[in-house]
């Protein structure tokens, strides 16, 4: 099969991924072999490819927002049928035994395996997946539309959950950085009745899309929104946004950072977090987050905006993502 291999992380401008011919994986016990149709490109892929996340396997096939159909079934995974459409996400497997797994926080599992980082992912024609960690996909989304739901969507959903907001109707939510995650999170927040303020640096693509999707107000990355925020999400990997967002956050509000990697957060005066403000990161997601999100996304009529690239242009897709040149989410068309 054709697959993109990352051997040594390097800046994406140097085209570090190599398109190679490799053996189709054989599903082990409890696994499914998926024939990949689409794989969305996440900023985390960029962190894997460029080495901000240390290499955990080499070579590795990146990609963790995979839509595919079951092509073969390993022993113990007979609940699935050949041809079933499923989604595979970042959390590829957990141990089920550590204190986090036992305590309902499998997203923090001590021995978790991650698709496209510690396990091979979906920048390939086939991928093997633990059957317990794939998702049924709502029928209203075609393969390309569904792919970005699997990380951008789910992580955005968990970020909304971690704000701790109990009442969404009329709540004021800020979103900093408006790529794939932001453009789904705004739709969920709007359907719950929140007012959304979007701060993002790209006027042409991101600010325009935010307005289209119902933002109350849209401004530059460092602009102050015209109202105090009850909660804020940061999806850009820029630590300097933390003090900027805290300045706009009302007392008792939560600021949730959605990325796996962020540049250093500058020192900030205590007054910015006084007033019981909370800063909290999102780390991965539980399967329950995934199922709950996919259900709400279908019910609330979420639509993903995608820009597609053929499988052969994975390096170009990553380059475009890095340089904010993608409107909505970036998706590789595999087959
Ligand atoms: Zn565990
Ligand atoms: Zn991701």
């Amino acid at each position: 099969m054709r697959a993109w291999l990352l051997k040594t992380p390097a800046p994406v401008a140097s085209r570090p991924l190599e398109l190679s011919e490799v053996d189709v994986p054989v599903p082990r016990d409890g696994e499914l072999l998926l024939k990949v149709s689409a794989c969305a490109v996440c900023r985390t892929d960029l962190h894997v490819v460029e080495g901000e996340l240390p290499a955990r396997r080499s070579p590795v096939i990146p990609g963790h927002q995979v839509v595919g159909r079951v092509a073969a079934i390993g022993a113990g995974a007979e609940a699935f049928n050949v041809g079933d459409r499923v989604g595979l996400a970042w959390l590829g497997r957990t141990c089920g035994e550590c204190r986090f797994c036992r305590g309902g926080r499998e997203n923090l599992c001590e021995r978790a395996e991650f698709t496209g980082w510690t396990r091979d992912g979906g920048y390939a024609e086939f991928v093997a997946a633990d059957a317990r960690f794939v998702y049924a996909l709502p029928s209203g989304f075609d393969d390309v539309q569904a792919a970005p739901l699997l990380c951008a969507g789910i992580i955005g959903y968990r970020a909304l959950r971690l704000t701790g907001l109990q009442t969404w109707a009329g709540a004021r939510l800020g979103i900093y950085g408006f790529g794939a995650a932001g453009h789904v999170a705004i739709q969920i927040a709007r359907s719950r009745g929140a007012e959304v303020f979007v701060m993002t640096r790209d006027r042409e693509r991101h600010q325009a899309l935010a307005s289209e999707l119902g933002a109350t107000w849209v401004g530059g990355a460092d602009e102050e929104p015209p109202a105090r925020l009850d909660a804020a999400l940061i999806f850009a990997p820029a630590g300097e946004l933390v003090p900027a967002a805290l300045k706009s956050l009302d007392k008792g509000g939560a600021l949730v950072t959605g990325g796996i990697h962020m540049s250093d957060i500058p020192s900030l005066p205590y007054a910015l977090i006084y007033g019981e403000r909370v800063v909290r990161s999102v780390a991965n997601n539980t399967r329950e987050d995934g199922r709950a999100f996919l259900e709400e996304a279908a019910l609330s009529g979420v639509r993903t905006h995608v820009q597609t690239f053929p499988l052969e242009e994975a390096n170009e897709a990553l380059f475009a993502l890095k340089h904010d040149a993608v409107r909505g989410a970036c998706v590789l068309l595999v087959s």
Side-chain angles (χ1 to χ4, degrees), residues 226-251:
R228 302 288 270 177
L229 303 171
D230 298 308
L233 316 178
I234 298 181
F235 292 120
E240 66 269 21
L241 291 175
V242 170
L246 284 168
K247 268 185 205 150
S248 298
L249 196 62
D250 209 349
K251 285 183 287 189

Side-chain angles (χ1 to χ4, degrees), residues 105-270:
R105 295 189 292 168
E106 65 180 1
N107 60 305
L108 302 177
C109 173
E110 306 270 22
R111 292 184 289 277
E113 295 177 24
F114 299 104
T115 311
W117 185 31
T118 70
R119 295 170 63 88
D120 281 336
Y123 289 16
E125 291 175 302
F126 292 90
V127 62
D130 187 316
R132 298 167 299 173
F133 287 82
V134 301
Y135 298 92
L137 296 170
S139 58
F141 295 88
D142 67 23
D143 293 1
V144 172
Q145 294 277 323
L149 301 175
L150 288 160
C151 184
I154 296 174
I155 294 297
Y157 179 83
R158 185 168 175 87
L160 290 169
R161 179 179 269 184
L162 292 190
T163 63
L165 269 181
Q166 300 297 321
T167 307
W168 284 88
R172 292 177 309 255
L173 175 75
I175 297 181
Y176 291 80
F178 200 75
H183 100 286
V184 177
I186 190 176
Q187 296 180 60
I188 296 283
R190 294 281 299 126
S191 80
R192 293 175 182 179
E195 280 188 72
V196 183
F197 300 79
V198 174
M199 282 59 68
T200 186
R201 65 185 175 185
D202 182 282
R203 189 167 298 278
E204 213 176 302
R205 296 180 193 85
H206 301 176
Q207 292 189 7
L209 183 56
S211 301
E212 252 173 63
L213 294 174
T216 302
W217 181 88
V218 181
D222 46 7
E223 275 184 69
E224 223 172 284
R228 302 288 270 177
L229 303 171
D230 298 308
L233 316 178
I234 298 181
F235 292 120
E240 66 269 21
L241 291 175
V242 170
L246 284 168
K247 268 185 205 150
S248 298
L249 196 62
D250 209 349
K251 285 183 287 189
L255 168 59
V256 181
T257 57
I260 195 167
H261 170 82
M262 184 180 246
S263 57
D264 287 352
I265 299 171
S267 73
L268 43 88
Y270 180 62

